[in-house]
Amino acid sequence: QVQLQESGPGLAKPSETLSLTCNVSGGSIRNYYWSWVRQPPGKGLEWIGYIHYSGYTSYNPSLKSRVTISIDSSKSLFSLNLTSVTAADTAVYYCARGPAQHTFFDYWGQGTLVTVSS
Amino acid sequence: DIQMTQSPSTLSASVGDRVTITCRASQTISSWLAWYQQKPGKAPKLLIYRASSLESGVPSRFSGSGSGTEFTLTISSLQPDDFATYYCQQYNSYSPFTFGPGTKVDIK
């Protein structure tokens, strides 16, 4: 059974960089598209971007200037960096798997709350 | 970007009711639509993909239909475990993936 687990600091300071990692277990990281999706408290879902195991990335244009997603296939993990964070970036961050380049998400991590506050 | 809307935003229903949620896209997305169920404090769970394909393990009381810009999720007989928030998501190839605002199904 594929499992995804997010990890990283639960608190980030304004203007700093938010960094999260997603560990993938129970299945191959190859041949899938690995996404980050976030959800502000009490609000809806926003796709941040994805990475393929080949290193190909696609980002939401609304966040593109601040987002970098990277992958370490040897360790079955991928990571999110979001720079210059503000309170508006406070959210539960999920990692998720997509079976194709233009795709739905069939496996999700449990999510991790990141609060941006000084 | 393709904007997604859902109606209603909240739906009150009883166990055994037939429930229908509508999702509309701001432009045609063919059948590139998924539905998710989310319970408080949990990650979304995939129910339906490609508008009408049932994800493995999802009860058959869930069904999806539609194409183009209008889609529906139907729960044929609402069960206690189905009280949750439901989101649609489009994955058209020429747009970032976007989600609808959600429909909360609560107990009448």
Side-chain angles (χ1 to χ4, degrees):
Chain A
Q1 178 77 342
V2 175
Q3 293 186 318
L4 290 76
Q5 178 69 57
E6 304 90 350
S7 60
L11 182 65
K13 288 182 166 44
S15 81
E16 295 190 345
T17 296
L18 178 162
S19 296
L20 297 173
T21 296
C22 181
N23 282 273
V24 180
S25 60
S28 175
I29 202 167
R30 291 180 169 267
N31 300 321
Y32 293 97
Y33 292 79
W34 302 96
S35 279
W36 289 96
V37 178
R38 70 180 183 178
Q39 184 172 37
K43 297 188 177 180
L45 299 158
E46 180 182 34
W47 175 71
I48 299 169
Y50 69 55
I51 189 165
H52 186 253
Y53 83 100
S54 64
Y56 173 79
T57 57
S58 179
Y59 300 134
N60 191 324
S62 68
L63 296 167
K64 187 173 183 177
S65 64
R66 299 194 291 130
V67 172
T68 302
I69 299 175
S70 58
I71 193 166
D72 186 337
S73 299
S74 67
K75 295 182 179 179
S76 288
L77 61 83
F78 61 106
S79 300
L80 169 70
N81 275 2
L82 180 65
T83 62
S84 304
V85 297
T86 70
D89 295 308
T90 294
V92 175
Y93 286 76
Y94 295 100
C95 56
R97 189 184 85 166
Q101 185 172 4
H102 299 284
T103 188
F104 49 89
F105 308 108
D106 57 358
Y107 287 95
W108 295 68
Q110 66 187 27
T112 188
L113 174 63
V114 180
T115 301
V116 178
S117 174
S118 54
Chain B
D1 296 2
I2 296 175
Q3 307 302 318
M4 307 300 291
T5 59
Q6 288 182 234
S7 60
S9 55
T10 304
L11 188 161
S12 296
S14 301
V15 172
D17 284 353
R18 181 180 182 88
V19 167
T20 299
I21 298 168
T22 298
C23 174
R24 291 185 175 88
S26 60
Q27 57 186 273
T28 184
I29 56 170
S30 185
S31 296
W32 304 120
L33 186 100
W35 288 98
Y36 301 86
Q37 176 193 68
Q38 187 179 35
K39 296 181 178 179
K42 300 293 188 182
K45 173 188 175 183
L46 177 67
L47 300 175
I48 302 282
Y49 60 95
R50 205 177 290 178
S52 60
S53 296
L54 192 68
E55 172 70 348
S56 175
V58 173
S60 59
R61 63 181 180 272
F62 291 92
S63 64
S65 65
S67 67
T69 61
E70 187 158 334
F71 303 85
T72 59
L73 172 71
T74 299
I75 309 172
S76 60
S77 178
L78 196 66
Q79 298 302 301
D81 192 47
D82 301 338
F83 292 98
T85 299
Y86 294 84
Y87 294 93
C88 60
Q89 176 231 331
Q90 66 80 21
Y91 50 102
N92 185 67
S93 60
Y94 300 105
S95 175
F97 311 140
T98 49
F99 294 84
T103 295
K104 183 177 181 180
V105 177
D106 63 19
I107 301 172
K108 191 171 185 179

